[in-house]
Amino acid sequence: NAGVTQTPKFQVLKTGQSMTLQCAQDMNHNSMYWYRQDPGMGLRLIYYSASEGTTDKGEVPNGYNVSRLNKREFSLRLESAAPSQTSVYFCASIRTGGFSSYEQYFGPGTRLTVT
Amino acid sequence: GENVEQHPSTLSVQEGDSAVIKCTYSDSASNYFPWYKQELGKGPQLIIDIRSNVGEKKDQRIAVTLNKTAKHFSLHITETQPEDSAVYFCAASTTGGFKTIFGAGTRLFVKA
């Protein structure tokens, strides 16, 4: 199992450009998440998808859109990048439904710089 | 809104000493408290978790304690080793783990 994979690993954008961050998991998990990580601020939830076909806003959704393409894939889109979106982005997945642990499995991250 | 505070932000210990990281949470509905370790250039990885119906849990050199009344929980690492050096995050979530709030992180340095 590859676990959670993310592409690309690094990206530099100019202000106003758009891009899509890709995430896929092969663990048959129902729920998937997008976080951003900034120095001194931990991980902040951007959007999540509790199950295929549903998406919901997290703590910091402004400037982002998401698509749950199927059970495996959950993409994050920046329509018009801004310097404030410079961050490291992590995708995660979680198995849900009657388990004692809600462990989140994280991808390796995408380091995005907006100039 | 919901909040998780984590202290200290940086912790430096000698190899073999113990390390303690403390967190407080604000949402009384929180019932699941995981701790994640993040090594340089990687995503966070779960090291231990505790449910609200348990006061303490131990896994080899790592233990977590929970005080629901005070809304405090702590991570204890004994006999620290250089490979324990990393950033540690506490977190709190409600049923199902759908919305997890993370602390700001503690950077632990273990000096050989």
Side-chain angles (χ1 to χ4, degrees):
Chain A
N1 285 355
V4 179
T5 57
Q6 291 183 236
T7 56
K9 285 188 167 48
F10 301 94
Q11 184 71 49
V12 179
L13 292 177
K14 294 189 188 316
T15 296
Q17 288 185 318
S18 62
M19 79 161 295
T20 300
L21 282 64
Q22 306 287 353
C23 173
Q25 52 91 10
D26 62 1
M27 296 173 284
N28 201 35
H29 288 170
N30 289 322
S31 300
M32 297 184 73
Y33 303 78
W34 276 105
Y35 292 93
R36 60 178 289 172
Q37 184 177 32
D38 302 294
M41 300 188 76
L43 292 148
R44 291 184 293 168
L45 182 64
I46 304 171
Y47 271 93
Y48 69 101
S49 171
S51 61
E52 187 179 354
T54 68
T55 60
D56 284 288
K57 295 179 180 179
E59 181 185 355
V60 288
N62 291 346
Y64 305 95
N65 285 303
V66 290
S67 295
R68 183 74 183 266
L69 304 169
N70 48 55
K71 192 171 186 178
R72 289 187 64 247
E73 299 173 288
F74 188 38
S75 63
L76 178 72
R77 182 160 179 83
L78 287 70
E79 290 291 351
S80 179
S84 60
Q85 294 178 306
T86 293
S87 188
V88 181
Y89 291 85
F90 287 100
C91 176
S93 70
I94 186 173
R95 61 179 184 175
T96 53
F99 297 101
S100 61
S101 172
Y102 300 115
E103 176 177 1
Q104 294 196 36
Y105 294 80
F106 285 86
T110 294
R111 186 174 294 275
L112 175 67
T113 301
V114 183
T115 61
Chain B
E2 295 88 348
N3 186 46
V4 175
E5 292 191 2
Q6 182 172 349
H7 299 282
S9 57
T10 305
L11 179 60
S12 184
V13 300
Q14 284 293 138
E15 182 178 1
D17 288 349
S18 295
V20 180
I21 303 170
K22 298 182 179 182
C23 291
T24 59
Y25 61 98
S26 61
D27 186 355
S28 56
S30 297
N31 60 4
Y32 175 66
F33 306 91
W35 287 87
Y36 288 84
K37 176 182 181 182
Q38 185 179 27
E39 296 177 339
L40 195 62
K42 296 184 178 180
Q45 189 168 10
L46 182 76
I47 55 172
I48 195 167
D49 56 10
I50 191 168
R51 298 288 293 269
S52 60
N53 57 351
V54 175
E56 184 173 356
K57 184 176 178 181
K58 189 173 182 180
D59 183 3
Q60 299 183 347
R61 297 186 296 109
I62 295 173
V64 59
T65 58
L66 172 66
N67 182 332
K68 281 182 58 180
T69 303
K71 297 183 187 171
H72 290 170
F73 58 114
S74 301
L75 178 71
H76 304 252
I77 306 174
T78 58
E79 300 171 19
T80 53
Q81 301 167 2
E83 52 265 38
D84 294 328
S85 296
V87 178
Y88 292 81
F89 292 98
C90 64
S93 71
T94 55
T95 302
F98 290 125
K99 279 193 176 182
T100 300
I101 307 296
F102 285 83
T106 296
R107 187 173 294 276
L108 174 64
F109 297 96
V110 180
K111 296 177 285 186

